[in-house]
């Protein structure tokens, strides 16, 4: 572990010394690829020992979504977590064996949302101490909240972002628009559908050579960077939405608050006074993009109390059936749907029909 960290520090120092220009792009690309490979060793340690990446962090993923909270010790993160859980939590929401990292489950708009505290991510920031468990947990979150002190946000923000980046977590970004396919022969074929400011054939070849890849088709569909290409080759990146929660707004002026409101992905709050929790929860809901589907048993009114909650990328009738029970799809004949996803109410649909938020569904079996 310490050997890997020393190598990482060495490469980072060399990158900091290297001037960024057209002539050095090739060399920097190579260094970035080496750095990514070393960092992967930190995320997934080789061999036994150390108890494996998930050891000790057996918080089962329950509910409809999982939110990870990251922040330095002094920023009021624990106050925010306990006040959120205190206000919106169900009674006996602690369905876990490990309470050290989980303040609880809150219910919001009918969805059960798990809140996870991820303290170890930044505490051992640069020395690799005990972060395997939190990293694995962070990578399984549907949303990350970075809690910052409104009086000194920028330094902390940068450190946390860099740490998460190093663990292959990309915040508020989409996967790079790069096609990549390994082949058995034929060398490296590079196609660019638009002008490139950083990547040329030589740089692409040297980055791929670092991964011992000498035959592949690479298609750049946007102006891509060396980092983008490395992300695609590594193939273990996760793309997670993130909200920056600026705490302690009771200590700043109205004018300063107006400025903060214009910052993208930001919500100003006071965890202590429970100010602006509504705004925060509303933004959490927007970023999670959950879809609620209400069920209607035959001859009865729809049940609006406990929706079936689906992630926005899996909202077909088949996804709905699978969430309830995998046998349901075997007996499926058709579904009746009321709501914004259909042209008339009710409409008869098949299993491929895509449902929208607050649709009502009745499953008709064979």
């Amino acid at each position: 572990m310490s050997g890997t960290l020393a190598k990482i520090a060495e490469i980072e120092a060399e990158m900091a010394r290297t001037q960024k220009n057209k002539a050095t792009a090739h060399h920097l690309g190579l260094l970035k690829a080496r750095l990514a490979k070393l960092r992967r060793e930190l995320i997934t340690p080789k061999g036994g020992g150390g108890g494996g990446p998930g050891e000790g962090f057996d918080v089962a993923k329950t509910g409809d979504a999982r939110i990870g909270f990251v922040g330095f010790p002094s920023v009021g993160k624990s106050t925010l977590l306990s006040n959120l859980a205190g206000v919106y939590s169900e009674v006996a929401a602690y369905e876990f064996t490990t309470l050290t990292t989980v303040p609880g489950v809150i219910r919001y708009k009918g969805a059960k949302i798990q809140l996870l505290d991820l303290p170890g991510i930044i505490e051992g920031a640069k020395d690799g101490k005990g972060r395997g468990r939190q990293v694995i947990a962070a990578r399984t979150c549907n949303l990350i909240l970075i809690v910052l002190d409104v009086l000194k946000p920028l330094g902390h923000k940068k450190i946390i972002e860099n740490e998460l980046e190093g663990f292959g977590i990309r915040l508020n970004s989409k996967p790079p628009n790069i096609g990549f396919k390994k082949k058995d022969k034929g060398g490296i074929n590079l196609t660019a559908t638009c002008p490139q400011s950083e990547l040329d054939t030589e740089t692409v070849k040297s980055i791929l050579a670092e991964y011992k890849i000498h035959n592949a088709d690479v298609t750049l569909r946007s102006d891509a960077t060396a980092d983008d290409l490395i992300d695609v080759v590594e193939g273990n990146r996760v793309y997670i939405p993130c909200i920056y929660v600026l705490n302690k707004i009771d200590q700043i002026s109205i004018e300063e608050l107006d400025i903060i409101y214009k910052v993208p992905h930001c919500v100003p709050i006071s965890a202590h006074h429970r100010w602006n929790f509504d705004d925060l929860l509303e933004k959490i809901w927007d970023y999670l993009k959950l879809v609620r589907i209400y069920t209607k048993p035959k001859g009865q009114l729809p049940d609006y109390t406990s929706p079936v909650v689906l992630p926005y990328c899996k909202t077909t009738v088949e996804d709905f059936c699978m969430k309830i029970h995998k046998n349901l799809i075997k007996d499926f004949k058709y579904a009746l749907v009321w709501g914004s996803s259909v042209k008339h109410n009710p409409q008869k649909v098949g299993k491929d029909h895509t449902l929208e938020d607050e649709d009502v569904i009745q499953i008709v079996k064979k």
Side-chain angles (χ1 to χ4, degrees), residues 226-259:
D227 291 316
D228 292 337
L229 178 61
I230 290 163
D231 279 359
V232 171
V233 176
E234 284 279 339
N236 63 353
R237 305 308 192 217
V238 290
Y239 297 84
I240 303 177
C242 170
I243 296 171
Y244 299 96
V245 182
L246 289 169
N247 189 22
K248 305 187 185 176
I249 55 169
D250 46 314
Q251 299 176 18
I252 60 168
S253 68
I254 297 290
E255 290 75 24
E256 288 170 303
L257 192 55
D258 285 341
I259 294 166

Side-chain angles (χ1 to χ4, degrees), residues 122-167:
I122 46 178
E123 283 169 0
K126 287 281 172 267
D127 54 8
K129 276 184 193 154
R131 51 190 183 174
R133 302 191 295 244
Q134 275 86 4
V135 171
I136 301 299
R139 288 171 61 92
T140 63
C141 288
N142 306 96
L143 172 65
I144 286 177
L145 295 196
I146 294 180
V147 186
L148 302 163
D149 184 329
V150 77
L151 299 171
K152 43 172 188 279
L154 292 174
H156 284 184
K157 177 175 182 279
K158 203 81 210 122
I159 292 169
I160 296 170
E161 285 172 343
N162 286 344
E163 280 304 306
L164 293 171
E165 284 269 309
F167 303 137

Side-chain angles (χ1 to χ4, degrees), residues 261-273:
Y261 255 113
K262 296 188 178 108
V263 180
H265 312 297
C266 257
V267 181
I269 62 151
S270 164
H272 179 68
H273 297 288

Side-chain angles (χ1 to χ4, degrees), residues 107-126:
R107 222 181 228 293
Y108 188 66
K109 295 196 178 184
K112 284 171 77 175
I113 300 168
Q114 185 182 31
L115 308 179
L116 269 196
D117 189 0
L118 303 169
I121 280 190
I122 46 178
E123 283 169 0
K126 287 281 172 267

Side-chain angles (χ1 to χ4, degrees), residues 17 70 125 143 279:
R17 284 196 302 272
V70 190
L143 172 65
D279 233 15

Side-chain angles (χ1 to χ4, degrees), residues 287-340:
Y287 279 49
L288 286 174
K289 294 193 176 92
L290 296 173
V291 173
R292 294 159 293 175
I293 308 299
Y294 300 111
T295 53
K296 181 190 177 321
K298 195 178 175 186
Q300 294 176 34
L301 289 169
D303 175 11
Y304 289 113
T305 55
S306 46
V308 173
V309 181
L310 302 172
Y312 71 99
C313 50
K314 289 189 170 179
T315 59
T316 63
V317 171
E318 183 168 3
D319 294 323
F320 168 85
C321 292
M322 293 304 281
K323 176 96 189 232
I324 291 174
H325 198 282
K326 52 181 179 289
N327 286 342
L328 192 54
I329 203 73
K330 291 178 189 164
D331 308 326
F332 179 85
K333 189 176 179 189
Y334 62 87
L336 294 171
V337 174
W338 294 255
S340 54

